[in-house]
Amino acid sequence: VAKAEAIEAAAKQVGDELSKRGLQLAAVINNAGILIYDPEDDVGSIDSTVLERILTVNVVGSFRCIEAFLPLLKASKGRAINVGSYFGSFAPSVNTVSYCASKHAVEGMSDGLRRRLRSEGVYVGLVKPGNIATSMNPKFPETHVSVVTAALEHAVTSPYPRCRYYPGVFIGRPCWLVCKLFAVLPERLADKLFKLG
């Protein structure tokens, strides 16, 4: 998803195939994402090249996918589902600043597109998994990936999809609870909880 021409080619191929079969596009799920850790050896420094690489895939790539498939989604009154993370609600570690920035951007993009495209009949949803057992998260696997697929299925098929889904847990607590808690927690207290302040 880092290359606009690849996304455009995919949208054309999908559109052609749907047209041949007399079908319409039900949904686009933006699940592409990369996690690159910020340099740990010097916590006092930052590196914008890490941020740019992550934003290109996690944010710009997702936006481009919705943009490329939007004509098909408008025609079918379809759905665009973005996969975010609890990292879009808070920054749990000093070496994931760039990743957190990308997931906060996915949050804002999802909210904005949901409101912008509602009048076109296109639903935009956000799935914010907790610590899921995947190759991207080998250190903190707490929940099987099936909870994410169940949330995605609901977002695609339910007559009443939610704006946000919070499958899984974070340090044994429901992901929705932790995200909501950190939304109202004073920043200095949050910093102390993460031993940053």
Side-chain angles (χ1 to χ4, degrees):
V1 297
K3 296 181 180 172
E5 59 274 9
I7 295 170
E8 290 164 11
K12 183 181 182 326
Q13 183 179 358
V14 168
D16 291 347
E17 190 63 32
L18 289 170
S19 181
K20 271 197 273 184
R21 296 177 184 218
L23 300 172
Q24 291 188 311
L25 183 64
V28 169
I29 297 175
N30 282 313
N31 190 40
I34 59 171
L35 167 60
I36 304 168
Y37 290 100
D38 294 297
E40 291 186 55
D41 53 344
D42 183 7
V43 177
S45 71
I46 56 176
D47 183 352
S48 62
T49 59
V50 171
L51 177 65
E52 287 175 12
R53 286 184 59 201
I54 292 174
L55 289 176
T56 298
V57 173
N58 296 4
V59 183
V60 178
S62 294
F63 190 92
R64 283 179 179 153
C65 282
I66 294 172
E67 179 183 32
F69 284 92
L70 191 55
L72 295 172
L73 291 171
K74 284 181 180 179
S76 65
K77 306 291 186 206
R79 299 176 180 187
I81 316 300
N82 293 317
V83 177
S85 170
Y86 64 82
F87 282 86
S89 293
F90 56 92
S93 71
V94 295
N95 65 338
T96 57
V97 173
S98 298
Y99 184 73
C100 289
S102 78
K103 293 306 178 178
H104 276 77
V106 169
E107 294 257 338
M109 178 180 71
S110 298
D111 286 343
L113 288 175
R114 184 181 66 251
R115 294 172 186 129
R116 184 178 179 100
L117 299 176
R118 180 176 37 213
S119 64
E120 301 288 335
V122 176
Y123 156 85
V124 179
L126 176 64
V127 176
K128 297 177 54 144
N131 281 325
I132 306 300
T134 67
S135 60
M136 195 170 176
N137 184 26
K139 291 182 182 178
F140 306 104
E142 292 189 78
T143 312
H144 191 269
V145 72
S146 61
V147 298
V148 177
T149 56
L152 289 168
E153 181 179 0
H154 189 274
V156 170
T157 63
S158 173
Y160 305 104
R162 300 176 199 144
C163 295
R164 278 178 172 69
Y165 294 81
Y166 301 88
V169 298
F170 174 78
I171 311 177
R173 304 292 186 272
C175 190
W176 69 266
L177 177 63
V178 176
C179 290
K180 300 286 186 186
L181 176 66
F182 277 92
V184 297
L185 205 61
E187 289 84 1
R188 296 221 186 259
L189 180 55
D191 288 351
K192 286 183 180 176
L193 288 173
F194 288 117
K195 298 182 177 126
L196 301 176

